[in-house]
Amino acid sequence: MLVQDVMSAGVVTARRNDSVRSVVTKMLSRHCGAIPVVEDGEVLIGMVTLRDVLIPLYPNYGEYIHDNVHSRDFVEMEEGYADVLAQRVEEVMSLNPLTVSPRTPVLEAASYMGIKNFRRIPVVEKGALVGMVSVGDINRGLFFERGHAAMNLDRMVHPSGR
């Protein structure tokens, strides 16, 4: 089974100059944790995740080492959320994300997700974004395609239901 058999097409995207607020709104309304960032048509240039939006709230390693007591003022950190939402996507996005092709075997894509601890990966063909594939997409594809095939074979071998 290939990624093209299970991927989601018609993906919601963002542009580098969009506000982080607008992208978070898209993610929350679509119940997804990542939005691909495109330019010049559908050329993938990055990804922005809910995690990317939260990371700027935390102190960097140098600040934490310098003052590990005061660098953990979580109330103050939370107050910075409005500032992060006012930023542009290009300020928080990850550049050059890991991608797969539509012809990548689904278990190969799943192995990349496991190694990188990703829940979804953009699907790109000739530099253009054509979809996204998630862990759920792969499980649905394997369950329904392989699961139904196995059930039908079992019914043919054991027609009485044993």
Side-chain angles (χ1 to χ4, degrees):
M1 180 176 302
L2 302 177
V3 165
Q4 66 191 9
D5 300 325
V6 299
M7 72 181 198
S8 300
V11 177
V12 172
T13 61
R15 305 286 177 184
R16 71 173 60 236
N17 289 322
D18 290 349
S19 71
V20 171
R21 177 181 300 281
S22 71
V23 174
V24 170
T25 300
K26 287 178 185 180
M27 283 189 258
L28 296 177
S29 67
R30 299 278 302 223
H31 304 286
C32 68
I35 300 275
V37 182
V38 297
E39 68 181 5
D40 298 331
E42 292 301 311
V43 176
L44 181 70
I45 60 168
M47 289 282 289
V48 63
T49 67
L50 288 172
R51 185 175 185 274
D52 293 330
V53 175
L54 288 178
I55 292 299
L57 298 177
Y58 290 94
N60 68 37
Y61 187 70
E63 292 167 337
Y64 182 76
I65 293 299
H66 178 69
D67 185 1
N68 67 353
V69 174
H70 296 100
S71 64
R72 288 184 155 187
D73 185 344
F74 295 108
V75 173
E76 182 181 324
M77 290 163 48
E78 185 177 325
E79 290 168 359
Y81 190 62
D83 294 335
V84 174
L85 292 177
Q87 291 180 319
R88 298 283 148 225
V89 166
E90 66 186 344
E91 297 176 73
V92 299
M93 73 181 189
S94 300
L95 295 170
N96 303 315
L98 172 68
T99 65
V100 293
S101 119
R103 289 166 304 287
T104 302
V106 293
L107 291 181
E108 182 179 342
S111 73
Y112 297 146
M113 291 180 199
I115 290 167
K116 295 289 194 173
N117 198 23
F118 291 165
R119 297 201 41 81
R120 63 199 52 78
I121 298 177
V123 182
V124 173
E125 187 163 45
K126 297 178 184 168
L129 179 71
V130 295
M132 293 280 283
V133 64
S134 70
V135 171
D137 294 332
I138 292 171
N139 278 311
R140 268 188 297 283
L142 291 172
F143 177 80
F144 287 114
E145 292 298 319
R146 300 291 183 224
H148 279 51
M151 286 185 340
N152 290 336
L153 179 61
D154 189 49
R155 285 186 190 131
M156 290 170 47
V157 173
H158 304 288
S160 63
R162 289 190 245 158

